[in-house]
Every structure is written in C-alpha cells, then in structure tokens.
Amino acid sequence: MLYLILTIVFSVLLLVNFRAHAKFNIDTRIAILLNYPVCFLTGYFHQMDAIPFHWPSAGYSLGILGIGIGFVITFLLSGYSTVKNGMAPTSLANNISLVIPVMVNLFIWKTGGDLTLSVIAGLLLSFAAIYFCSPSGAGSIQKPVIWALVAVFVAYGITNTAFNYLNAAIVQQVGGSISFTLMLLLGSMATSAIVLVYWTITGGVTWSLRSVLAAIPLGLPNFFSFYFLLKALDAYQQNGAVVLTIYNLGVILLSAVTALVFFKEKLTNKQWVGIGLGCAGIALIIL
C-alpha cells in the first residue's frame, strides 16, 4: 500500500506543477518535453548500476521504446484536447481509459483475481466515481473536437495496458524497475527531441529560461510516479485491476483535496458524490 500512496502523491505533484505554470507564464509543452531527460538522470543517479541495459528480445525492446513514445503522444494529445475541448471532457476521457487495462487484466490476462460480485460492484462504483469527480466544466468551448477526446481515451488506455504487460513480462529480465523505467524514457527523450526541433524550426514554441527550468520540478515527481507505480504492481502481483483502479481514484481524490486546501477550488455537490462512490468502490475491490 505504501508504494500506491507514494505513486499517487507524486502524480498529484505533477498536477500541482501544471497548475503553477499559468501563474508563472511557463510554456507547459516545453516543460513536458524537457522533463524526460530530468526523469532519466533522476533514475540513473538513484541506481547507477541500472546501466548498461540488458535489452530483451527485439520484439520486447521495440515495445519498450514504443511505450516511451506513447507517453509523449498521450501528453501532447491531452494538451491539445484541453485547449479544444476544455478540462472537463479531456479529464473524463483520460480517467475513463482505466476501463481498457482493467478489462484486459480481468478477461484476457486473467491477472485481476476472481471476478466476484464484490469486485464487479466495486469497479462499477469506481467508474461512476471517476465520472462524478471530473470537473463539471461550463466552459466557453462552442464545438468540441470529438476525435481528440477519442484519441486521448484510446492512447491512454493502450499505453497503460502495454505498460502493465511489459512490466509483468520482462521487468526482472531487464534488471528491475529502475532499468525498465530508464529504457522507457529513451523512447520518450528521442520523441521529445524530434518534436522540439520541429517546433523550434517552424516557430511553434517560444523558448524561455523559466520554461526550461520548469522541467526540473516536473521531471523529478514524474520519474518517481513511474517508479512507485511499478513497485506497486510488483507488490500486488501485477494485479492491474486493483492497482490502476485505486491509483486513478486516489489521484482524483487527492487532487480534489489539494485544490481545495492550496488553491481554494471548492468541490461541487457532484464531486462530493464522486468521492463517496470512489471510497465505496475501493473498499469493495480490496476487501
């Protein structure tokens, strides 16, 4: 449970970073794309013997790099959808993508334990909680870009599913959680470099020192959110149905409390209902 708590805390710290970017006039895209080298260096100094890497077979190695690329794509898609559709629908698409890896764990990989009535009820309540906890969002967006919402849902679902599969299959073979995480980040760093070079040439971004430096407080919790999520999956015998459900709901609930306490963002009645449903869902799943 400690690893789950830690990965939730570090994930919320990422959201706190994003919340502060607007206040300090930081280009979130630059901070996101540069945070991956910071993640890599954090992991390396955390465990220097993680290098040299012990790469698995060609298929698994390509899968590792592919997930790293997927991390960047999902971040950028989420940013685009937030601009075009607003925070509420994008947040909902992101969180409901939990359905994909949970169902794969339960029905295909059979690593989600027994499908009891308690588990089914807990999952249903958890999915309902994700909906109710999402921002209500009366925005100024006139016409939503539906394909962007679908892309966020599919990209997050596929990336998380592949992440769980490779973690269960090869994490020990490649040298443990740190080595596996660093390998993933190689794909992310390569993709980020290509995107940054392209945007710089085409004038898509305006560089500033504060945007570059913002990658540091973003990259540190980003690495540890990856690392402790892997450790949580190991602790729960790769039971992604439980781990991902608690993780997603935990991030939502702690984010709501953090927003209320530190940013004075009040919860709506709908969100309080979501918190109650989430607590009940978690209890049913883990009992």
Side-chain angles (χ1 to χ4, degrees):
M1 183 59 73
L2 175 62
Y3 293 136
L4 257 175
I5 293 172
L6 288 172
T7 189
I8 289 169
V9 169
F10 281 111
S11 296
V12 172
L13 285 177
L14 292 175
L15 300 179
V16 172
N17 270 270
F18 292 140
R19 181 70 168 75
H21 284 177
K23 179 179 180 181
F24 295 101
N25 196 27
I26 290 169
D27 190 329
T28 299
R29 296 172 302 169
I30 293 177
I32 286 175
L33 294 173
L34 290 180
N35 97 94
Y36 294 108
V38 176
C39 285
F40 187 91
L41 290 174
T42 302
Y44 173 70
F45 287 115
H46 186 69
Q47 183 180 315
M48 293 187 180
D49 61 359
I51 299 175
F53 296 131
H54 304 288
W55 289 96
S57 63
Y60 281 135
S61 295
L62 289 175
I64 290 173
L65 296 176
I67 294 175
I69 295 170
F71 287 152
V72 178
I73 293 173
T74 51
F75 264 121
L76 295 177
L77 280 173
S78 183
Y80 176 80
S81 181
T82 300
V83 172
K84 297 296 182 179
N85 298 306
M87 287 182 61
T90 302
S91 174
L92 186 59
N94 177 8
N95 292 318
I96 290 181
S97 70
L98 166 70
V99 172
I100 297 176
V102 167
M103 294 306 176
V104 169
N105 273 274
L106 285 172
F107 298 112
I108 298 179
W109 296 339
K110 307 297 184 181
T111 59
D114 296 328
L115 191 63
T116 63
L117 288 176
S118 175
V119 171
I120 294 173
L123 287 171
L124 290 175
L125 287 177
S126 298
F127 295 147
I130 291 172
Y131 168 75
F132 280 102
C133 283
S134 296
S136 56
S140 59
I141 307 300
Q142 298 298 320
K143 185 177 180 181
V145 181
I146 301 300
W147 72 262
L149 292 173
V150 174
V152 168
F153 172 82
V154 173
Y156 270 100
I158 291 176
T159 301
N160 287 333
T161 302
F163 174 84
N164 295 338
Y165 172 75
L166 285 183
N167 176 61
I170 63 171
V171 69
Q172 297 306 320
Q173 178 184 344
V174 301
S177 299
I178 295 289
S179 296
F180 180 59
T181 303
L182 295 181
M183 289 177 176
L184 294 173
L185 291 171
L186 289 178
S188 298
M189 287 192 297
T191 305
S192 297
I194 293 171
V195 173
L196 280 173
V197 169
Y198 174 77
W199 278 349
T200 300
I201 293 174
T202 60
V205 293
T206 301
W207 288 84
S208 68
L209 181 60
R210 66 180 61 190
S211 297
V212 173
L213 293 177
I216 297 175
L218 187 63
L220 292 173
N222 198 8
F223 168 79
F224 285 111
S225 67
F226 280 126
Y227 174 68
F228 286 118
L229 180 58
L230 287 171
K231 300 296 283 186
L233 286 167
D234 289 341
Y236 281 82
Q237 290 79 48
Q238 309 306 322
N239 191 341
V242 170
V243 171
L244 292 177
T245 300
I246 298 176
Y247 168 75
N248 278 270
L249 285 170
V251 170
I252 292 173
L253 301 182
L254 185 56
S255 297
V257 173
T258 302
L260 178 64
V261 174
F262 293 101
F263 299 109
K264 309 304 179 185
E265 296 180 5
K266 295 183 179 179
L267 296 174
T268 64
N269 291 334
K270 174 184 172 183
Q271 289 170 323
W272 281 116
V273 170
I275 289 175
L277 292 174
C279 293
I282 290 174
L284 287 171
I285 289 172
I286 65 178
L287 285 180

